[in-house]
Amino acid sequence: MTVVERADDTRLDDYRALNDQRHRRRLEGDMFFIAEGYVAIDRLIESDHRIRSILLAPSRAARFAHHLPTLAARATPVFVADADVIAEVVGFDLHRGVIASADRLPPAGLDDLVTTARRLAVLEGLNDAENLGAIARAAAAFSIDGLVIDRTCTDPYSRRTVRVSMGEVLTMPVVRVVHPAAALPTLHAAGFESWAMTPDPAAEDLWTRRRPARVAVLLGAEGPGLSGSTVRAATRGVRIPISPDVDSLNVGHAAAVTFAALSRSD
């Protein structure tokens, strides 16, 4: 670990002004991203991403010590700075006290993903970082093999998405496509069924639906849901039966319920 005493130390430039979104978009671009918190960084270290550096508060150093041999073998810099120095760099009080920067991986390809995947989540218009993070976390928990996101989805490498996913989004392939309906022919040709998740009463009941060998779960943004073209292109519409007193589930909750149903052993 290397102690850094000054906020203007250029070795900390990756972490500057984390609360300034315009600055962060210019700085990070498509090159790197930020992960924060112990669990997210544990997942980051397990992933294939090259870690540019890690920054810790002194109170977090002992908890992080078991990673040092691995990071030393990779020549990953680990910096330690007082909390007030970190706050001056990032622009706020970073109470978690542990943060990392890492290079983005080249985007995965749909043709490659479908050769090995059995279960995929296909997301349309997910512009909320917390919802995307929650879906990625549930996907990892229930053995979903990858995410397919359209061009209007939020950045899966955003700091909030990475944090809410507990770093799980970093350990699974993510493919970006122009529109889900354009990706479905490739999925269908590879033997996938596609389930358009919808509250429509005419849709098939999730609990009685046979689980196919290969399935893509299609989920739309909070509120508008899936577009008509996506629903029409899907193999079938599927609904989660809920109380008639409740309008719908949050998309993150709906994803978790559906993924759990697909992974049940009975």
Side-chain angles (χ1 to χ4, degrees), residues 195-218:
W195 290 5
M197 301 307 297
T198 172
D200 185 349
E204 299 183 42
D205 187 324
L206 174 64
W207 305 136
T208 60
R209 183 67 232 154
R210 177 188 61 84
R211 287 172 293 161
R214 308 187 90 183
V215 61
V217 177
L218 279 55

Side-chain angles (χ1 to χ4, degrees), residues 19-94:
N19 55 353
D20 184 337
Q21 294 304 309
R22 182 175 298 178
H23 168 74
R24 296 308 305 180
R25 284 193 294 271
R26 288 197 305 267
L27 180 65
E28 296 177 20
D30 293 325
M31 296 187 302
F32 74 99
F33 64 94
I34 297 295
E36 62 180 278
Y38 287 128
V39 177
I41 294 176
D42 286 346
R43 298 288 84 74
L44 174 61
I45 292 169
E46 295 169 2
S47 77
D48 295 329
H49 295 82
R50 187 187 77 86
I51 304 173
R52 295 158 65 101
S53 68
I54 294 173
L55 176 60
L56 308 170
S59 61
R60 304 296 191 255
R63 161 66 174 78
F64 205 76
H66 69 287
H67 284 309
L68 292 180
T70 298
L71 296 169
R74 300 177 186 175
T76 301
V78 179
F79 302 120
V80 178
D82 287 340
D84 58 343
V85 173
I86 295 176
E88 186 175 347
V89 172
V90 304
F92 56 91
D93 180 18
L94 187 73

